[in-house]
Amino acid sequence: MQTQRLTDDPQGIATAARLLAAGWPVAIPTETVYGLAADARNGAAVAAVYAAKGRPAFNPLILHVADLTAARALVDLPDEAEALAAAFWPGALTLVAPLRAEAGVASLVTAGLTTAAVRVPTHPVAQAVLRAFGGPLAAPSANASGRVSPTTADHVLDSRAGLGGRIAAVLDGGPCPVGVESTIIGWDGAQPVLMRPGGIATEAIEAVLAAPLRRGPDPDSPRAPGQLASHYAPQAAVRLNADAPRAGEQYIGFGSDGPLSLSPTGDLTEAAARLFDVLRRADDLGQPIAVAPVPDHGLGAAINDRLRRAAAPR
């Protein structure tokens, strides 16, 4: 199909909402990455998301809602989740909680689980679409499954690693300011669990909880989005913690200058925002990729999580 590029004005937002209501997937910007949104209550629309992405059916999707009230209508949030929502919503935090029986969410969204992953995005365009649409949107990253996540509309429209020609439209809201997916927190009984590091630093979450987070389950049996061992992967092989490139490798630096540096100044916020764009540019050069060491604290934990999955055997 011909994928429309919509502008982020009232007309473009209204068109996106109409397409979503008609059951078409539409890529929308969030503060983290572009998401491929579909009506979460429409099983056929959600199936179209899986089909467009080539996504494994056992990998659940994140529900995006406009506010905390809308989230409470879908899931039963424990007290600690309420505290985290108060601290970080709207924002780059996803909470996994028991799905309400009356939620009306298509079973494909949760991949058959009794829990659902929910977040409230802060991006003004995502908020405008959610309010114009008037319901929950299921929205994984708007790229072919396992490939590098998109942080611009051009990434979404890329016919090789993106979804150009596979979806109805992309709503162009400019570059995503955070640039890595949301942090996902779930619960194992009363114990909070880090299921995926992301745009909210683990340390900030632990400060609100006044307790350490336990790390998540086996990635081969995902309970939340983004837990597959091989994910966010370019087509080229990736070698991590490289002090220098080997012959024939493209080098992604950190804390050094160069055309593929994540951050010349060693700034983790800049590196997170640039990560997927730099991976795409390196992959376009058609050679193996070597990546410099990145500190494993704060947003560095999310960056390294994505890099490990990009480098995992496929």
Side-chain angles (χ1 to χ4, degrees):
M1 67 178 69
Q2 182 73 30
T3 302
Q4 301 179 61
R5 185 194 289 260
L6 306 176
T7 54
D8 62 349
D9 55 16
Q11 181 178 350
I13 289 164
T15 299
R18 284 197 300 270
L19 288 168
L20 289 164
W24 292 99
V26 176
I28 64 172
T30 76
E31 68 276 21
T32 58
V33 300
Y34 274 72
L36 182 57
D39 182 353
R41 301 159 299 192
N42 182 336
V46 177
V49 169
Y50 281 99
K53 285 177 61 67
R55 185 182 179 92
F58 55 81
N59 199 2
L61 308 181
I62 293 177
L63 291 164
H64 291 65
V65 294
D67 52 36
L68 179 56
T69 299
R72 288 173 177 150
L74 299 176
V75 294
D76 288 313
L77 294 171
D79 289 344
E80 288 177 318
E82 291 276 356
L84 292 176
F88 300 113
W89 277 359
L93 176 69
T94 293
L95 300 172
V96 179
L99 184 70
R100 288 183 176 272
E102 68 274 18
V105 172
S107 60
L108 274 176
V109 172
T110 62
L113 301 175
T114 59
T115 55
V118 185
R119 89 174 183 98
V120 179
T122 191
H123 197 289
V125 177
Q127 277 286 329
V129 171
L130 283 162
R131 296 188 184 282
F133 175 69
L137 294 174
S141 57
N143 57 284
S145 186
R147 296 301 180 189
V148 182
S149 298
T151 54
T152 68
D154 284 342
H155 292 166
V156 177
L157 291 168
D158 181 350
S159 61
R160 183 169 60 107
L163 300 174
R166 301 191 204 179
I167 61 173
V170 55
L171 183 56
D172 190 347
C176 300
V178 174
V180 292
E181 289 85 354
S182 59
T183 303
I184 301 180
I185 303 295
W187 278 263
D188 186 359
Q191 176 67 44
V193 178
L194 176 66
M195 292 181 152
R196 182 181 74 184
I200 303 294
T202 302
E203 296 89 337
I205 293 168
E206 290 176 332
V208 171
L209 296 174
L213 290 166
R214 187 165 64 77
R215 267 47 183 177
D218 182 353
D220 290 329
S221 300
R223 292 168 49 196
Q227 289 189 312
L228 292 177
S230 177
H231 208 60
Y232 318 105
Q235 295 189 13
V238 178
R239 181 171 66 90
L240 303 182
N241 298 313
D243 293 324
R246 296 170 181 165
E249 286 183 330
Q250 296 298 326
Y251 189 61
I252 295 177
F254 178 82
S256 59
D257 289 323
L260 296 176
S261 179
L262 291 172
S263 171
T265 62
D267 180 85
L268 289 172
T269 300
E270 180 183 30
R274 289 171 51 83
L275 174 62
F276 291 131
D277 183 59
V278 170
L279 274 174
R280 283 175 178 275
R281 286 194 281 124
D283 199 29
D284 285 344
L285 298 172
Q287 295 176 298
I289 300 167
V291 185
V294 176
D296 202 35
H297 59 78
L299 282 177
I303 294 167
N304 282 312
D305 173 80
R306 304 309 187 272
L307 288 172
R308 283 191 292 271
R309 294 171 191 269
R314 306 160 202 171

